[in-house]
Amino acid sequence: MRKLLTGNGAAAWGMRLAKADYLPAFPITPQTEIIETISQWIEEGEIEATMVTMDSEHSMITAAGTAAATGVRVFTATSSQGLLYAMEMIYTVPGWRAPFVLVNVSRALSSPVTLEPDHNDILAARDSGFLQIHCSTCQEVVDAMLLAYRLAEDDRIRLPVIVNLDGYYLSFTREPVTLPEQEKTDQFLKRTGPEVKGFCASNPCSQGVAVLGGSQYSFFRYETHLASCNGIKVFSEIAAEFESLFGRRYQAVESYRAYDADIVFFMIGSFATKAKDAVNQLRSRGIKAGLVRPLLLRPFPEEAIIKALQNKKGVAVIDQNISLGKGGILYSELASILYNVKKRPEVLVSFIGGLGGRDLTPEDFFEMAKVTTEAADSGVTPPPRLLYTREELAAMHGLQEIALYSDTQTRE
Amino acid sequence: MWRIRFHGRGGQGMKTASRILGTTFFLAGYEVQDSPRYGAERRGAPMTAYVRAGREPIFERGIITHPDLIVVADRSLLSLPLAGVFQGLTKDTVLLILTEDTEQNLHIPAATVKAVLALPLSLTTDGAMSRTRESSACAAAAAALLSLPLPLLLQSLQEELHKTASELLQQNLTGAKAAYERMFKHQNLVRQSSVNPEAGYEPPHWIDLQFEDAHHSAPAIHGEATSLLVKTGAWRSMRPVIDIARCNRCGLCHTFCPDGVISLSNEGVPEIDYDHCKGCMICKVQCPMHAIDVQTEHGGTE
């Protein structure tokens, strides 16, 4: 069935099709629509699930992890400040090896507080042990939910998975979505039974996760890392199974017209479809552009990225995030895997933009391609570009004058 | 690809209008994308909604800079720069405005736009039993201008408003038909703009952002009594009106008003400061004497 769904609607459908049993919830814009939709389905008897509204995201992730440890299928969702508030538990539950799926609807972080997206929230969870799938369309959201449950519950992984979608640009945006059929979904997501033997209400027991000494600690941390790394191989296996059932093909790294490209955009998230548009326009102007986009960010699909970028003249890395005091996070990640590659791209140019939902216009993409081409031709890489225009700064200075005037008035 | 931009105030239903139009396109076999965009999520705040529709998969996303059609549900937005109604307007853009005024009285310079069309407000209300239904009228007018078939529009309305009470849904369908018929004669006016990739582009005016003193590059404004200076009453789409004859001087409206804009005289008679009342209607809900009526800011009664 093909219908118009928002990204939030697609996420709710993912939970419904996966028949998740338990949903601990806490509201936050722009995610709330997901739990509203699910709670309405429960109310109307459309689905059987238990939803509990928690006192905070910290408790919510704790509840999700503990419930998952008993073997029930768990879904939960948050965004931005909520993800940060949960951060202690975000780093804790992967070590329990309790599989569940968390949807994060990206929204830029405070301060200043705002509503529209960038990726600093989700990237704060980068090193937690959660696997991460980054979506660029509403179709990908519902499909990624099914892939995420399979990844999480695979015995070679057994880690929680975050499915990330951008606030507004996906969460509130309706696009045509083909819903996976329930019967095939049931086949794809077979139940594997209790994850931790003996966890049930009639047989209380405690789970100890304390160690003293670096050696034991290192063992468990390394094991979690190795489990995450298995995600690359498992992803390609389950994606093949997904394709044979549903007819849609996913790869850990999407390559769009990149095969014969000279200049490649490298980015994640929903703005990547804007890059495809720019690629097509640049191509019709005779410029060989392409896009390389990791869907899977953790584990980091090194080999696939290297293969996609080898022999390219230049890569424009577009970071919709900023590591304050360093720069673009994807840029650092990419540079680290290419350093030892012989046929690495001649230049990597860093662009930081789209913060707090600031638009990336077609002209921005064209100009990024131009700057990257010039850098490749000259061999001189320009410093990182913080995307901002003369017009934006003039408007900002106008606002600053009002603020300064107001401040002066207040102090007098 | 068709690009349509709706402008309204929170609560006027322009998100719904964009969905009705989006679903109509979808039923007609188009690839579709519709999305609302708002800053403060509150009634009365200016908001926009976008619809894109085409025969190919849509890669564009978010803001529509150069719309083929702009639909404005609230005339007061025309003079509000923040609302951005005129942003990206070209000589190929058609502007549709829901208003009682004539096109000439809107004083939009003819040279800046392809056409200005006024959609009479009376189409959205129904005499004494009036209910606002701007969303269906605006969507219907847009559907007519874009030559979408009326039966698909009505099917879309039923889908999008399936939770609406049947009587109200019927009024919406009637209003939508009237708006559709009114605009149908202009059906070839709006044209799909096309991007000419070979035309080149105007490079963005990127600058190297410089360090600025922390005293004025921090996101903090210290101001006194700014809430008095800002006339938040302009956000209101519905107006509470107290019938003093029925009022029992209990003061509950004064107590419950979240903005503190209902004052009591020495005799306990409430008075609403309409410069700052946002029209949330909590006072109406609380009033035990049912002495508070609701009027739309267009003059009708709810």
Side-chain angles (χ1 to χ4, degrees):
Chain A
M1 181 177 44
R2 198 162 186 256
K3 59 194 290 187
L4 286 175
L5 279 181
T6 59
N8 281 346
W13 266 102
M15 176 275 183
R16 177 172 170 156
L17 290 165
K19 296 185 175 165
D21 308 292
Y22 176 63
L23 163 63
F26 194 85
I28 181 169
T29 297
Q31 170 280 123
T32 308
E33 199 182 31
I34 299 175
I35 55 170
E36 276 175 357
T37 304
I38 295 170
S39 73
Q40 195 168 1
W41 284 337
I42 296 172
E43 172 80 14
E44 291 165 356
E46 296 245 353
I47 58 172
E48 269 185 66
T50 303
M51 178 173 160
V52 179
T53 50
M54 308 300 291
D55 61 297
S56 73
E57 289 88 353
H58 187 278
S59 308
M60 182 181 92
I61 297 298
T62 313
T66 46
T70 69
V72 298
R73 194 170 270 164
V74 178
F75 172 75
T76 187
T78 189
S79 171
S80 189
Q81 305 300 123
L83 185 73
L84 259 62
Y85 196 70
M87 203 49 83
E88 185 193 8
M89 295 315 294
I90 291 284
Y91 272 71
T92 300
V93 290
W96 300 352
R97 308 298 293 276
F100 66 92
V101 174
L102 163 67
V103 161
N104 182 66
V105 182
S106 268
R107 162 180 157 188
L109 297 174
S110 197
S111 292
V113 68
T114 190
L115 295 173
E116 291 192 51
D118 64 38
H119 299 140
N120 267 107
D121 61 351
I122 181 66
L123 289 170
R126 184 188 63 170
D127 304 333
S128 65
F130 272 81
L131 274 57
Q132 290 193 6
I133 304 178
H134 288 255
C135 304
S136 72
T137 65
C138 296
Q139 180 70 60
E140 279 179 20
V141 172
V142 65
D143 292 345
M145 290 279 295
L146 307 191
L147 293 167
Y149 276 107
R150 272 295 293 272
L151 281 175
E153 293 172 4
D154 193 289
D155 269 339
R156 291 163 289 178
I157 301 173
R158 285 170 56 113
L159 287 168
V161 180
I162 295 176
V163 172
N164 199 68
L165 57 130
D166 289 336
Y168 287 72
Y169 294 94
L170 287 182
S171 74
F172 300 155
T173 299
R174 289 200 314 171
E175 293 175 341
V177 173
T178 303
L179 283 178
E181 298 87 337
Q182 186 65 64
E183 205 173 306
K184 288 183 186 172
T185 307
D186 292 343
Q187 194 186 333
F188 184 67
L189 291 177
K190 285 187 265 315
R191 298 273 179 160
T192 52
E195 292 300 325
V196 179
K197 296 269 183 277
F199 251 134
C200 63
S202 59
N203 183 21
C205 67
S206 60
Q207 172 173 312
V209 290
V211 293
L212 293 174
S215 172
Q216 291 169 19
Y217 180 82
S218 300
F219 173 80
F220 292 120
R221 296 292 283 175
Y222 290 157
E223 282 298 322
T224 309
H225 169 65
L226 294 170
S228 177
C229 291
N230 282 343
I232 305 280
K233 183 168 177 285
V234 178
F235 186 91
S236 68
E237 282 176 26
I238 61 169
E241 198 184 314
F242 185 93
E243 187 185 358
S244 70
L245 276 171
F246 302 106
R248 288 184 293 281
R249 184 161 188 247
Y250 290 104
Q251 290 181 293
V253 179
E254 184 194 17
S255 210
Y256 182 81
R257 303 188 81 170
Y259 179 72
D260 66 339
D262 294 326
I263 299 299
V264 169
F265 297 117
F266 183 84
M267 63 193 299
I268 55 173
S270 66
F271 275 16
T273 67
K274 287 152 110 44
K276 288 183 182 177
D277 211 24
V279 163
N280 291 338
Q281 290 192 50
L282 286 162
R283 288 256 171 186
S284 59
R285 230 184 281 153
I287 299 159
K288 283 185 174 177
L291 164 75
V292 172
R293 172 180 72 96
L295 273 77
L296 205 54
L297 201 71
R298 280 295 178 272
F300 198 53
E302 264 186 62
E303 258 181 60
I305 294 172
I306 290 169
K307 203 173 149 210
L309 296 181
Q310 256 173 357
N311 294 318
K312 301 299 173 212
K313 284 174 71 176
V315 180
V317 187
I318 305 169
D319 270 290
Q320 213 178 335
N321 66 74
I322 185 164
S323 170
L324 304 173
K326 172 64 174 77
I329 294 171
L330 287 183
Y331 184 81
S332 300
E333 297 250 304
L334 189 58
S336 77
I337 63 165
L338 291 174
Y339 185 79
N340 288 320
V341 175
K342 290 224 165 59
K343 293 172 183 169
R344 66 187 182 206
E346 286 162 43
V347 290
L348 296 188
V349 187
S350 173
F351 298 93
I352 294 170
L355 301 186
R358 189 267 197 195
D359 199 18
L360 292 181
T361 63
E363 290 76 18
D364 281 329
F365 282 103
F366 302 154
E367 194 69 3
M368 286 189 269
K370 182 171 162 245
V371 169
T372 307
T373 307
E374 284 169 0
D377 290 345
S378 66
V380 181
T381 309
R385 162 67 58 190
L386 310 175
L387 292 179
Y388 211 65
T389 62
R390 200 167 66 206
E391 294 79 3
E392 286 177 285
L393 187 63
M396 193 62 226
H397 281 159
L399 291 172
Q400 280 173 315
E401 273 179 38
I402 296 170
L404 280 174
Y405 175 78
S406 164
D407 253 15
T408 322
Q409 297 288 303
T410 308
R411 285 190 188 133
E412 267 167 12
Chain B
M1 191 196 305
W2 293 108
R3 297 175 183 85
I4 301 103
R5 198 170 72 200
F6 289 87
H7 291 267
R9 289 182 180 275
Q12 277 182 324
M14 284 309 101
K15 175 186 170 183
T16 306
S18 73
R19 287 172 71 110
I20 294 168
L21 186 65
T23 299
T24 312
F25 268 120
F26 186 63
L27 293 170
Y30 284 83
E31 293 296 311
V32 176
Q33 186 195 73
D34 60 53
S35 57
R37 187 162 189 264
Y38 22 72
E41 296 166 278
R42 57 162 170 76
R43 284 185 167 268
M47 60 80 68
T48 46
Y50 309 106
V51 178
R52 291 182 172 91
R55 296 298 181 182
E56 302 291 324
I58 296 166
F59 290 145
E60 285 184 14
R61 210 168 264 297
I63 299 163
I64 292 178
T65 317
H66 297 295
D68 309 317
L69 171 64
I70 297 176
V71 182
V72 186
D74 192 309
R75 203 199 139 163
S76 68
L77 294 174
L78 298 178
S79 52
L80 198 66
L82 183 72
V85 172
F86 297 106
Q87 202 178 31
L89 199 74
T90 72
K91 285 190 75 175
D92 296 322
T93 319
V94 173
L95 198 58
L96 175 76
I97 301 168
L98 190 63
T99 176
E100 273 317 313
D101 254 322
T102 59
E103 281 95 357
Q104 291 72 30
N105 275 351
L106 295 167
H107 303 298
I108 295 164
T112 60
V113 60
K114 187 170 185 184
V116 179
L117 301 171
L119 182 65
L121 256 173
S122 55
L123 289 175
T124 71
T125 53
D126 194 11
M129 255 304 293
S130 82
R131 282 266 184 183
T132 53
R133 40 170 199 255
E134 284 107 327
S135 48
S136 37
C138 285
L145 290 172
L146 299 163
S147 308
L148 290 163
L150 181 61
L152 295 184
L153 168 75
L154 299 179
Q155 187 187 339
S156 162
L157 268 161
Q158 309 233 14
E159 277 182 31
E160 291 304 322
L161 305 177
H162 71 279
K163 285 185 179 155
T164 311
S166 62
E167 189 191 344
L168 187 54
L169 175 63
Q170 213 48 53
Q171 290 176 8
N172 272 277
L173 291 171
T174 312
K177 267 187 223 163
Y180 187 94
E181 278 153 19
R182 180 99 186 187
M183 284 299 147
F184 196 69
K185 62 179 177 229
H186 301 296
Q187 62 164 324
N188 290 319
L189 198 56
V190 185
R191 295 287 172 171
Q192 292 183 60
S193 57
S194 60
V195 180
N196 176 11
E198 270 137 64
Y201 67 100
E202 160 91 18
H205 304 138
W206 291 346
I207 40 136
D208 293 321
L209 194 63
Q210 299 301 311
F211 169 80
E212 292 186 15
D213 191 300
H215 289 296
H216 59 267
S217 67
I221 300 175
H222 307 103
E224 252 175 33
T226 52
S227 54
L228 282 178
L229 297 175
V230 179
K231 301 268 193 281
T232 48
W235 302 357
R236 194 176 53 233
S237 56
M238 307 298 265
R239 169 189 290 248
V241 179
I242 303 174
D243 178 0
I244 299 301
R246 279 186 282 160
C247 169
N248 71 347
R249 320 285 192 261
C250 71
L252 277 179
C253 54
H254 161 81
T255 307
F256 275 92
C257 175
D259 280 302
V261 299
I262 304 181
S263 56
L264 297 180
S265 71
N266 288 340
E267 292 75 40
V269 180
E271 189 188 353
I272 299 175
D273 166 14
Y274 287 112
D275 277 348
H276 297 98
C277 162
K278 295 169 187 162
C280 70
M281 297 302 154
I282 288 174
C283 54
K284 175 189 160 59
V285 173
Q286 291 301 330
C287 178
M289 303 306 289
H290 304 291
I292 302 180
D293 297 320
V294 182
Q295 290 179 0
T296 71
E297 287 300 328
H298 300 313
T301 52
E302 175 80 347

